[in-house]
Amino acid sequence: MDSVFSVVGSCVDWDVRSLLLFTAIFILTADYIKNRRPHSFPPGPRVFPIVGNIFSVDYNRAHESMTQLAGKYGDVYSLRMGQRWIVVLNGFEVLKEALVNQGDSVVDRPDLPLEMDVGHGLGVMFSSGNRWKQQRRFTLSTLKYFGFGKKSLEPVILDEFTHCAKDLISYKGKPFNPQFSIDNAVSNIICSLVFGHRFEYNDEKFMKLMKWFDRCVMIHASIWAQLYNSFPLLMRRLPGPHQTVQHIWNNLKDFVRAQMKEHQQNWDPSDQRDFIDCYLNEIEMNKGQADSTFDEENLITCVLDLFVAGSETTSTTLRWAFLYMAKYPEIQAKVQAEIDRVIGQSRQPSMDDRANLPYTEAVIHEIQRMGNIVPLSLPHVTTKDIQLGGYTIPKGITVILNLTSVLFDKKEWKTPNTFNPGHFLNEEGKFVKRAAFIPFSAGKRVCLGENLARMELFLFFTSFMQHFTFSVPAGVKPVMDYCFGITVAPRPYEICVTSR
């Protein structure tokens, strides 16, 4: 009897193992057949079952990792992230062809699970189709009404500089981390446009807001975000930073919602004080229209998008600026000499001064190039089959724009890996803007905050150089390492600021 049971047991055991083996082989075979590279699709590294190329990229330096892959597989190559194919575009000519010549075919955003769960495809940055067109058109026209990119915004920026300058002076030349001072100054410009008022630097809610934004931009570019986008059904049920980011975005939305409620209590359609007032008016005007995308949730997401587009990139660039000026004191001195000669110390800078400050302009642009603030831009998706680099990219494929490959291309820059303001100067010392200078991307999805960022960078940087000298603490060498996220920010550092 025992022998009978042992035979039956061994058969059952063998059947279970056979079933597991068959299931594994079936899953791997199905995965291969379903997800193999289509005909004429761009080449790429070897794809592993189930996970694809998720672990082929170093997420602590994804832009550098992707640039290295371009050296092996060409300017147009593919990666499979879980079950989703993406195509990575490299080099100025390829990006120009995609964004400008075939811009209508890559104008939309992909439906990435994490972004959809957080923002639901609302707002400006991650929306597509009619919603994106309506929101972007309204946002740009409204911000222009309040001086976006115009001289009328100059006093707001220069007034904020005086607040920031007082904060820097309070450290009396001792080493300190300038991040929060700069974050607060730049973010207050957006606050003035959106909320109609600024925040004091010691405001606890405002400080918390800045920390939340910093945390989010790091998580959104991490491997956790990639795993979430590749396996959303599983990751929605697992703990980790991907859950934290949703909690943070909910807090950010609550902050904006509270500001919106305050506006609604005192709202007067005949007196539109800021972006929120104008948006509330637009909601009222579009009630009952079937194709309208204007509602309170879109308002909240648009405001958060403006903070990311209009403050995160600029504040990060200025933090790089302090670091580069401390690292290259001879360049800092040359900038200060030019400012002293053209502006002096008796008046504040103006956008009209740009034409007479070619070296300062060149330094600002080189800081942006070397800082490489948004190295992979934001993802696009093809709306139809397109041809790029001799390959066919089908409709519905996510496209990554590797701006790093352009900003550090040795075919475009004389010394791509060296800080060299000469990249933007001709033989006569006049400023020259280079076609390959695309830190804000290009085409129809060019950064919403580009004009504001250019104005802020010039006025803030020139004002800082006019009034202060930046140096590293005694015995310390400048460290140019970065923290990778949606933006590439310098690692936390301390700096000494002395009045001139």
Side-chain angles (χ1 to χ4, degrees), residues 54 81-84 111-117 220 222-233 235 242 379:
I54 284 180
M81 298 301 183
Q83 304 298 297
R84 183 190 295 259
D111 293 334
L112 300 177
L114 182 57
E115 303 301 339
M116 294 303 294
D117 286 356
H220 273 282
S222 69
I223 191 171
W224 292 99
Q226 193 58 67
L227 288 169
Y228 193 105
N229 289 330
S230 300
F231 309 105
L233 293 178
M235 296 302 289
H242 53 288

Side-chain angles (χ1 to χ4, degrees), residues 275-301:
F275 180 85
I276 291 180
D277 275 351
C278 290
Y279 202 108
L280 290 172
N281 188 57
E282 197 71 15
I283 293 174
E284 286 296 316
M285 289 174 59
N286 284 274
K287 275 186 176 178
Q289 295 188 21
D291 66 339
S292 173
T293 62
F294 294 94
D295 55 46
E296 291 185 2
E297 289 306 308
N298 251 318
L299 164 56
I300 291 168
T301 307

Side-chain angles (χ1 to χ4, degrees), residues 147-303:
F148 192 79
K150 296 181 180 179
K151 282 181 65 65
S152 57
L153 197 59
E154 279 189 30
V156 177
I157 297 172
L158 294 172
D159 179 64
E160 191 59 42
F161 167 75
T162 61
H163 290 281
C164 187
K166 289 178 183 177
D167 191 55
L168 300 189
I169 291 170
S170 70
Y171 291 96
K172 300 178 180 179
K174 295 178 181 178
F176 74 103
N177 184 338
Q179 178 174 350
F180 289 114
S181 300
I182 298 305
D183 284 353
N184 291 343
V186 175
S187 295
N188 263 332
I189 307 303
I190 288 293
C191 288
S192 298
L193 289 168
V194 174
F195 301 138
H197 64 87
R198 62 181 297 280
F199 290 88
E200 293 299 328
Y201 291 6
N202 59 358
D203 186 296
E204 289 188 10
K205 287 185 178 179
F206 191 51
M207 292 171 68
K208 204 175 280 187
L209 187 76
M210 297 299 98
K211 289 179 181 178
W212 285 338
F213 273 116
D214 284 342
R215 182 82 174 119
C216 279
V217 298
M218 296 296 293
I219 297 174
H220 273 282
S222 69
I223 191 171
W224 292 99
Q226 193 58 67
L227 288 169
Y228 193 105
N229 289 330
S230 300
F231 309 105
L233 293 178
L234 174 64
M235 296 302 289
R236 285 184 184 119
R237 290 160 175 78
L238 294 178
H242 53 288
Q243 302 291 357
T244 301
V245 80
Q246 296 199 56
H247 178 67
I248 291 174
W249 278 113
N250 287 334
N251 287 338
L252 289 168
K253 289 177 183 178
D254 288 342
F255 179 88
V256 177
R257 189 173 285 108
Q259 294 286 327
M260 181 186 69
K261 296 298 182 186
E262 286 183 19
H263 278 67
Q264 288 174 324
Q265 292 173 3
N266 306 303
W267 182 51
D268 179 0
S270 64
D271 180 23
Q272 297 181 14
R273 302 157 294 179
D274 49 46
F275 180 85
I276 291 180
D277 275 351
C278 290
Y279 202 108
L280 290 172
N281 188 57
E282 197 71 15
I283 293 174
E284 286 296 316
M285 289 174 59
N286 284 274
K287 275 186 176 178
Q289 295 188 21
D291 66 339
S292 173
T293 62
F294 294 94
D295 55 46
E296 291 185 2
E297 289 306 308
N298 251 318
L299 164 56
I300 291 168
T301 307
C302 277
V303 169

Side-chain angles (χ1 to χ4, degrees), residues 80-96:
R80 203 191 93 194
M81 298 301 183
Q83 304 298 297
R84 183 190 295 259
W85 281 105
I86 70 170
V87 170
V88 184
L89 305 184
N90 304 268
F92 179 59
E93 292 303 324
V94 170
L95 265 68
K96 180 182 176 183

Side-chain angles (χ1 to χ4, degrees), residues 321-337 359 419 465 469-472 478:
F322 289 3
L323 204 50
Y324 276 111
M325 292 302 93
K327 182 176 176 65
Y328 299 105
E330 70 283 0
I331 293 177
Q332 180 175 198
K334 197 170 178 180
V335 169
Q336 290 170 331
Y359 190 76
F419 189 84
M465 291 294 100
T469 295
F470 296 84
S471 60
V472 292

Side-chain angles (χ1 to χ4, degrees), residues 276-394:
I276 291 180
D277 275 351
C278 290
Y279 202 108
L280 290 172
N281 188 57
E282 197 71 15
I283 293 174
E284 286 296 316
M285 289 174 59
N286 284 274
K287 275 186 176 178
Q289 295 188 21
D291 66 339
S292 173
T293 62
F294 294 94
D295 55 46
E296 291 185 2
E297 289 306 308
N298 251 318
L299 164 56
I300 291 168
T301 307
C302 277
V303 169
L304 293 176
D305 285 347
L306 287 173
F307 268 96
V308 174
S311 61
E312 177 66 29
T313 53
T314 303
S315 61
T316 302
T317 305
L318 287 171
R319 284 160 58 201
W320 278 117
F322 289 3
L323 204 50
Y324 276 111
M325 292 302 93
K327 182 176 176 65
Y328 299 105
E330 70 283 0
I331 293 177
Q332 180 175 198
K334 197 170 178 180
V335 169
Q336 290 170 331
E338 184 180 66
I339 292 171
D340 290 347
R341 185 173 65 253
V342 175
I343 302 174
Q345 294 287 326
S346 60
R347 69 172 177 86
Q348 291 181 304
S350 165
M351 292 304 291
D352 293 336
D353 293 316
R354 290 176 74 182
N356 300 316
L357 295 170
Y359 190 76
T360 302
E361 269 282 87
V363 169
I364 292 172
H365 280 67
E366 185 67 352
I367 291 167
Q368 288 180 270
R369 187 189 73 82
M370 288 290 290
N372 190 22
I373 308 302
V374 192
L376 300 176
S377 189
L378 292 178
H380 293 238
V381 67
T382 52
T383 57
K384 65 178 182 180
D385 292 4
I386 63 171
Q387 301 293 319
L388 272 178
Y391 302 106
T392 299
I393 304 175

